[in-house]
Amino acid sequence: MRFWEIGLIVVNFVLLGWTLFTRKRTKRWFAIALPVAYCVLIVQLIAEGYRWQMIPAYLSPIILTACYLLTKQKKNAGSWVSVAVKSLLLFIYLSVAVALPALMPVSLFQKPNGPFTVGTTLYHWVDDRREEPFAKDPKDRRELMVQIYYPAGDQGEGDREPYLRNTHEVAKGLEGDLSIPAFTLSHLGLVQTNAFTDARMSDTEKQYPVLLFSHGLNGFRNQNTFEVEELASQGYIVVSIDHAYDAAATVYPDGRTAYFQSVNLSDLPERDRHIQLWKDDVAFVLDQIEKLNRGDVDDRFTGRIDTSRIGMFGHSYGGATAAQMLVEDSRIKAAIDMDGTLYGSTIKDSGIGKPFLLMSAEMSDDSDEDSLEEKLRNKRALAGGGMSLVIPHTDHTSFTDFHLMSPLLRSPGEDPRYVHRIINEFSLAFFDLYVKQRGNSLELEKLATKYPEVHFKVN
């Protein structure tokens, strides 16, 4: 919970408890208690904003007012039965008031560890060469929203970037996948990241390497903010792509929203076919990055992007896309697949032949009839030097921000911040070695020693 949320609950419930159990309740007491209770409420609403999870706490001044109106001055606290009942009711009420905001926190992201402040900016790119396969009008072109995170030169100046710019639409898009009503995620609109909107780019280095990020089916471009911000703070330009109509919701600058529509991708052959759309998206974004480097409208990225050093990572279907692009596009030097089945064209038995790391969840579902084929695909991809790691106490969404959103979404025994630290450290060491071309393979071996519970293997 945030500072003033905690303050509201502590102050108002102390006042409420004192009112219920003190032997003397004078007008003077209420003349002080009521203004304090309402003032703390008003300050919290102004400083931090309303969210529905705080409704029980918001009602505490009203209940305090009711106590004033319904009780007489200098009234005894009552019998032990009365005290016991009041104590039980107050405990239940306090538990609800604390549990709701605690189970759906607003403070999600820790400060990145790198030397750079993080900046971010958003682009709307239209591929005039491709039709939009989900549109009814054949004249519609493929449109993508792309958010870029980068090392910033401003030391915390400017506005902090919100986690989601279009919370309502994304929450509505996630509603079916997470099996929870959209309104329960409305508080994500209050979450701030560590990035600063449109900040000036850092001049520390002449050029910076690039990493592309691709979300999972029904995910969204910001779903791995914990990882994207860390990599940007370590000196990478990170490009996060919304794959329109396969993302939970993509909102264009004119207000149009492309909601998730790929509900028929139920088997391996169909997902193998569909991934071509995502590969074409990534290839288009790579072309746009090269254009940005030649000449950006506001000159932020002009000449600052090292297009000879590009890597890619993704979660789930996005991880499969990263693997496919590593195989097919010479611009991608290394890739990480986070718990993604390797959909797409068949990889040779000899392996990918380029640096590849497959991160997997411990709690994968092996009961599916396609699981044998998936294991064979993984084996081929890892042949000839591919790397793999399995993180304990994780499931498929442990590799995203989702488990930070609520303890209710976590796997048994999982500490999401610890899991994210493992992901970030291995990702950074991998990309530093194969994209920045700094360091050596000993860094990965040191991490394997540092985290002995992680099953890291070089094939």
Side-chain angles (χ1 to χ4, degrees), residues 2-13 15 33-51 53-65 93:
R2 295 172 292 177
F3 176 80
W4 284 108
E5 290 177 348
I6 296 172
L8 171 63
I9 290 174
V10 170
V11 172
N12 284 8
F13 276 86
L15 293 175
L34 290 178
V36 170
Y38 282 101
C39 282
V40 174
L41 171 59
I42 292 169
V43 169
Q44 190 280 321
L45 290 172
I46 293 174
E48 298 174 334
Y50 162 86
R51 62 176 178 130
Q53 293 89 349
M54 287 292 293
I55 288 177
Y58 295 153
L59 294 175
S60 57
I62 299 174
I63 295 174
L64 193 60
T65 302
Y93 180 30

Side-chain angles (χ1 to χ4, degrees), residues 293-307:
N293 195 43
R294 291 195 295 268
D296 189 7
V297 174
D298 55 13
D299 281 334
R300 179 177 291 110
F301 297 109
T302 303
R304 308 302 307 281
I305 304 173
D306 189 345
T307 56

Side-chain angles (χ1 to χ4, degrees), residues 86-218:
K86 289 178 183 178
S87 299
L88 178 61
L89 292 176
L90 183 63
F91 175 77
I92 294 172
Y93 180 30
L94 178 60
S95 298
V96 173
V98 171
L100 284 177
L103 289 174
M104 297 183 181
V106 170
S107 300
L108 300 187
F109 303 110
Q110 295 180 329
K111 186 177 180 180
N113 295 302
F116 294 100
T117 301
V118 179
T120 186
T121 191
L122 187 64
Y123 288 91
H124 172 225
W125 287 336
V126 181
D127 189 349
D128 294 326
R129 299 170 299 179
R130 289 191 294 155
E131 295 181 5
E132 176 51 73
F134 292 95
K136 296 180 181 179
D137 188 345
K139 295 181 181 179
D140 287 347
R141 301 292 93 181
R142 181 70 170 166
E143 299 179 61
L144 299 176
M145 297 303 298
V146 175
Q147 190 154 358
I148 300 181
Y149 298 80
Y150 53 89
D154 298 324
Q155 297 300 313
E157 298 177 4
D159 296 328
R160 290 271 291 276
E161 177 74 7
Y163 179 49
L164 298 176
R165 295 194 180 196
N166 305 98
T167 306
H168 173 74
E169 290 80 4
V170 173
K172 182 179 178 182
L174 291 172
E175 187 174 37
D177 197 44
L178 295 180
S179 300
I180 56 176
F183 82 89
T184 60
L185 298 176
S186 61
H187 67 291
L188 295 180
L190 299 173
V191 176
Q192 288 187 323
T193 67
N194 294 291
F196 293 88
T197 307
D198 296 329
R200 178 179 60 85
M201 194 165 186
S202 173
D203 294 325
T204 302
E205 297 181 22
K206 183 178 179 181
Q207 289 187 319
Y208 294 92
V210 180
L211 300 175
L212 281 76
F213 172 71
S214 186
H215 59 75
L217 279 171
N218 205 33

Side-chain angles (χ1 to χ4, degrees), residues 125-415:
W125 287 336
V126 181
D127 189 349
D128 294 326
R129 299 170 299 179
R130 289 191 294 155
E131 295 181 5
E132 176 51 73
F134 292 95
K136 296 180 181 179
D137 188 345
K139 295 181 181 179
D140 287 347
R141 301 292 93 181
R142 181 70 170 166
E143 299 179 61
L144 299 176
M145 297 303 298
V146 175
Q147 190 154 358
I148 300 181
Y149 298 80
Y150 53 89
D154 298 324
Q155 297 300 313
E157 298 177 4
D159 296 328
R160 290 271 291 276
E161 177 74 7
Y163 179 49
L164 298 176
R165 295 194 180 196
N166 305 98
T167 306
H168 173 74
E169 290 80 4
V170 173
K172 182 179 178 182
L174 291 172
E175 187 174 37
D177 197 44
L178 295 180
S179 300
I180 56 176
F183 82 89
T184 60
L185 298 176
S186 61
H187 67 291
L188 295 180
L190 299 173
V191 176
Q192 288 187 323
T193 67
N194 294 291
F196 293 88
T197 307
D198 296 329
R200 178 179 60 85
M201 194 165 186
S202 173
D203 294 325
T204 302
E205 297 181 22
K206 183 178 179 181
Q207 289 187 319
Y208 294 92
V210 180
L211 300 175
L212 281 76
F213 172 71
S214 186
H215 59 75
L217 279 171
N218 205 33
F220 53 98
R221 66 176 183 269
N222 314 98
Q223 69 165 56
N224 278 57
T225 294
F226 81 91
E227 184 177 18
V228 166
E229 288 190 337
E230 177 64 23
L231 291 168
S233 79
Q234 299 286 354
Y236 289 92
I237 296 172
V238 186
V239 182
S240 297
I241 307 167
D242 253 349
H243 296 280
Y245 297 101
D246 284 330
T250 301
V251 181
Y252 299 115
D254 61 4
R256 290 175 296 122
T257 302
Y259 286 107
F260 179 75
Q261 291 192 18
S262 292
V263 294
N264 62 337
L265 301 179
S266 57
D267 54 31
L268 284 173
E270 189 61 29
R271 294 193 177 202
D272 286 343
R273 180 199 62 79
H274 184 74
I275 206 168
Q276 184 62 48
L277 176 66
W278 287 42
K279 292 191 293 183
D280 290 342
D281 285 348
V282 176
F284 169 65
V285 168
L286 284 169
D287 293 341
Q288 293 299 109
I289 290 170
E290 292 173 348
K291 289 181 180 180
L292 274 183
N293 195 43
R294 291 195 295 268
D296 189 7
V297 174
D298 55 13
D299 281 334
R300 179 177 291 110
F301 297 109
T302 303
R304 308 302 307 281
I305 304 173
D306 189 345
T307 56
S308 68
R309 296 187 294 170
I310 301 178
M312 186 172 177
F313 63 109
H315 171 248
S316 192
Y317 206 64
T321 304
Q324 289 291 313
M325 291 301 295
L326 182 63
V327 173
E328 300 178 16
D329 198 311
S330 61
R331 292 174 289 185
I332 306 296
K333 308 304 181 186
I336 297 176
D337 177 355
M338 292 181 286
D339 209 44
T341 298
L342 291 163
Y343 300 112
S345 57
T346 302
I347 295 172
K348 296 179 181 179
D349 289 339
S350 58
I352 293 177
K354 294 164 73 175
F356 176 66
L357 172 59
L358 177 63
M359 297 182 177
S360 299
E362 183 181 56
M363 301 176 189
S364 297
D365 184 6
D366 295 329
S367 62
D368 190 276
E369 60 182 9
D370 293 321
S371 62
L372 178 58
E373 172 61 23
E374 293 172 5
K375 290 178 180 178
L376 290 173
R377 293 181 180 207
N378 290 350
K379 184 177 180 180
R380 283 194 293 266
L382 294 172
M387 288 169 270
S388 63
L389 66 84
V390 179
I391 304 177
H393 307 298
T394 55
D395 62 24
H396 189 56
T397 52
S398 298
F399 295 86
T400 70
D401 299 332
F402 287 113
H403 290 194
L404 296 175
M405 297 177 186
S406 174
L408 299 176
L409 299 175
R410 297 171 189 171
S411 301
E414 178 191 9
D415 178 353

